[in-house]
């Protein structure tokens, strides 16, 4: 996971921050997602909201991880996410607008990720959460499938919980 951060200055105490770990996890997840069209060589990573996590995600701009180059853009309104993003990260600062963000990407081949509490239960695809010094995630498999995305078995095995797994 930390391969993404080679060349990035670690926090002052020599450790990687939780925000950097979340950003690395998001970048690595892209290799375990199959979009309806052929695998893109560039991923448009859209960010909704502003926080230390979205700042860490912005550092992915122009980086290539496992053969995929990231283009990062900030979105100010939910309608801007329509058919424009392969990955949409929704920050907790956007919790009041969460329903709007999710409805704008419904039916689109957009992987929705957030560290909003209860995100997977509310219809988001991947919910990141910190537990002790580790970052884990839950997956809402039916939400991903409704948007035409296939998540690899490897990603499903790594999840703390998979909603909708038969």
């Amino acid at each position: 996971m930390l391969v993404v951060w080679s060349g990035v200055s670690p926090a002052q105490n020599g450790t990687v921050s939780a925000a950097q770990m979340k950003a690395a996890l998001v970048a690595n997840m892209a290799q375990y997602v199959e979009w309806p069209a052929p695998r893109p060589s560039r991923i448009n990573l859209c960010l909704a909201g502003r926080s230390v996590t979205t700042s860490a995600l912005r550092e992915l701009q122009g980086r290539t991880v496992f053969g995929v180059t990231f283009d990062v853009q900030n979105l100010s309104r939910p309608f801007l996410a329509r058919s424009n993003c392969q990955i949409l990260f929704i920050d907790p600062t956007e919790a009041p607008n969460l329903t709007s963000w999710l409805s704008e990407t419904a039916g689109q081949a957009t992987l929705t990720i957030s560290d909003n509490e209860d995100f997977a239960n509310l219809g988001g695809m991947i919910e990141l959460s910190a537990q002790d010094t580790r970052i884990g995630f839950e997956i809402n498999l039916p939400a991903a499938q409704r948007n035409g995305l296939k998540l690899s078995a490897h990603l499903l095995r790594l999840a703390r919980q998979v909603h909708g797994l038969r």
Side-chain angles (χ1 to χ4, degrees), residues 32 42 45 51 97:
Y32 299 107
R42 297 190 81 82
L45 170 60
S51 69
N97 303 314

Side-chain angles (χ1 to χ4, degrees), residues 36-125:
R39 184 173 191 247
S41 61
R42 297 190 81 82
I43 296 277
N44 197 10
L45 170 60
C46 299
L47 308 175
R50 296 193 184 275
S51 69
V52 294
T53 302
T54 56
S55 292
L57 285 163
R58 269 188 227 97
E59 291 181 28
L60 291 172
Q61 173 59 39
R63 289 183 184 257
T64 301
V65 180
F66 297 109
V68 175
T69 303
F70 286 86
D71 294 318
V72 181
Q73 65 176 331
N74 297 308
L75 302 181
S76 57
R77 305 254 189 231
F79 75 89
L80 296 171
R82 266 187 242 148
S83 58
N84 192 31
C85 310
Q86 280 81 37
I87 300 174
L88 172 63
F89 181 86
I90 306 168
D91 190 76
T93 58
E94 284 294 313
N97 303 314
L98 184 60
T99 304
S100 296
W101 287 105
L102 292 175
S103 68
E104 290 296 340
T105 57
Q108 304 293 320
T110 301
L111 180 69
T112 57
I113 303 175
S114 181
D115 51 1
N116 275 293
E117 189 175 327
D118 230 17
F119 183 68
N121 287 326
L122 296 171
M125 295 176 202

